[in-house]
Amino acid sequence: LLRPIDNLRVLCSCPDSMKRQLTDLSKEALDWDIDPPTAAAKSEGDGAYLRVSRQIRGKVDSFMDELMRCALVNLVMDKEDGDFD
């Protein structure tokens, strides 16, 4: 259940070739479907960039919450197994 994280990279609107290179080097990759702000910026203005930043922040926060839950479950399991000092 434990998922160690040593790097977290968030790529926005990068070419598939760059994504492929990074995912080939990674143990795990998550692809979040968030539309880039560039097209929406014409109608929304700078608010589009703020909106997208908040969407990315929400995804990162959810991911970190999931990691914390996994870590807590592992601690409880270790304690029940007597592996916890």
Side-chain angles (χ1 to χ4, degrees):
L1 292 172
L2 188 59
R3 297 169 61 185
I5 300 294
D6 59 1
N7 286 294
L8 176 63
R9 293 182 180 97
V10 177
L11 306 175
C12 300
S13 300
C14 65
D16 286 340
S17 59
M18 181 183 287
K19 281 189 214 176
R20 240 186 330 275
Q21 287 176 342
L22 286 173
T23 55
D24 288 347
L25 297 172
S26 302
K27 291 181 181 180
E28 182 179 1
L30 304 173
D31 192 7
W32 297 326
D33 188 20
I34 298 175
D35 293 329
T38 49
K42 291 177 184 170
S43 62
E44 291 180 49
D46 289 341
Y49 294 95
L50 181 59
R51 178 182 50 77
V52 169
S53 294
R54 288 180 177 155
Q55 286 177 314
I56 292 169
R57 176 63 186 255
K59 295 285 188 177
V60 171
D61 287 346
S62 294
F63 179 65
M64 297 304 287
D65 287 344
E66 178 188 338
L67 290 176
M68 289 298 294
R69 280 192 300 276
C70 288
L72 289 174
V73 166
N74 282 309
L75 284 173
V76 169
M77 290 175 63
D78 285 348
K79 186 174 183 179
E80 288 174 355
D81 291 341
D83 295 337
F84 188 77
D85 294 325

